[in-house]
Amino acid sequence: MQVVGYEPSGRGSALLLADGDADGNDIEHRPLESGDELTYALGERHCAGTIGEAGHIACDRASAPYCEFHTSTWVCARCTGTCLKDEMDCYEEHAVYIAAFAPDTFKVGVTRSWRLETRLREQGADRAAHIHTVSNGKIAREIEAEIAEWLVDRVRTGPKIAALASSVDEDAWNDVLAEFEVIERFEFDYEFEPVLESRPVRETIVSGTVRGVKGRILVVEKGGTTYAVDMRDLVGYELEDGETERELQSSLGSFG
């Protein structure tokens, strides 16, 4: 069984697993809910292949998570208002938003209006504010590019993990929002059980008790230590029954 993808928070958190049939096979959704027990060890890692209408198509090339033939780039992510496609196709209402990541990282972004709350949860935002509604993606990207001159337009996984037990700086958040006419505000609770009191240790494992998922970060507890797993780092691995046998870093609290 290979990890061929994942669903982040906002889309029913799960690992996407496939048997590796080169002719196409169904994908198993392995839900990730608080309290679930994961009992897998990581085997070899290779290209995760591709997912299409026929299901998952496997690939045995060594590159991971994807080989050169299965690496895809969403050109819209690089758009700043000048369409990079042969023909513009984003004629749909878009929202421009500011997302807050604890304690004081603030990101501008755009999405189709109907996906706004889902998109924010997929990223693991702690707070957010909808600041513009426009008729298409081109206009939204132009606005985003202007705001990105003083706010970031992406947040890497490392800082998100480092801040998992932190709260948003209210004063800094309010100062940022004072620059905009806010249409709607959002505040998210990812319902970690129990509530995180300290920063988890970053690891790549699929064993332990699930404590919750925030964006693409899976949090598990094992041997008295809480670990944060970037689910993208799992893509391509073959899973084997039985918990990991390799030695893991422990938090200081596990020795108390």
Side-chain angles (χ1 to χ4, degrees), residues 200-211:
V201 177
R202 185 167 184 172
E203 261 292 356
T204 304
I205 56 173
V206 200
S207 60
T209 304
V210 176
R211 292 187 58 176

Side-chain angles (χ1 to χ4, degrees), residues 46-224:
H46 57 89
C47 177
T50 186
I51 299 173
E53 293 182 1
H56 172 253
I57 305 299
C59 175
D60 60 4
R61 294 183 179 87
S63 298
Y66 301 102
C67 69
E68 60 181 311
F69 299 100
H70 294 120
T71 298
S72 60
T73 301
W74 185 45
V75 297
C76 294
R78 304 198 309 269
C79 176
T80 58
T82 301
C83 188
L84 302 175
K85 295 182 177 180
D86 292 335
E87 183 177 351
M88 178 177 161
D89 60 3
C90 56
Y91 296 103
E92 188 175 0
E93 184 180 273
H94 279 62
V96 183
Y97 62 84
I98 306 297
F101 299 87
D104 54 5
T105 298
F106 308 113
K107 169 191 177 293
V108 60
V110 306
T111 188
R112 288 169 290 178
S113 291
W114 63 270
R115 288 199 81 249
L116 178 56
E117 185 169 346
T118 297
R119 179 59 184 145
L120 293 166
R121 286 186 176 276
E122 288 172 353
Q123 296 177 76
D126 295 298
R127 305 279 183 88
H130 177 188
I131 59 170
H132 289 289
T133 302
V134 296
S135 61
N136 61 59
K138 180 180 185 296
I139 299 172
R141 290 295 187 182
E142 289 173 345
I143 296 172
E144 179 189 39
E146 292 176 2
I147 297 173
E149 292 181 1
W150 62 282
L151 290 182
V152 300
D153 58 3
R154 66 184 59 204
V155 183
R156 297 190 180 278
T157 302
K160 291 181 181 180
I161 290 176
L164 276 173
S166 302
S167 299
V168 173
D169 183 323
E170 293 283 354
D171 291 338
W173 178 228
N174 289 329
D175 286 346
V176 168
L177 294 191
E179 301 295 324
F180 305 101
E181 293 186 13
V182 176
I183 298 170
E184 184 178 8
R185 295 193 184 207
F186 301 86
E187 186 170 346
F188 300 107
D189 181 357
Y190 295 90
E191 300 180 348
F192 288 107
E193 293 290 343
V195 175
L196 297 177
E197 296 182 352
S198 60
R199 178 195 303 184
V201 177
R202 185 167 184 172
E203 261 292 356
T204 304
I205 56 173
V206 200
S207 60
T209 304
V210 176
R211 292 187 58 176
V213 177
K214 184 178 183 182
R216 72 185 200 201
I217 302 169
L218 165 66
V219 178
V220 297
E221 184 173 352
K222 181 176 176 61

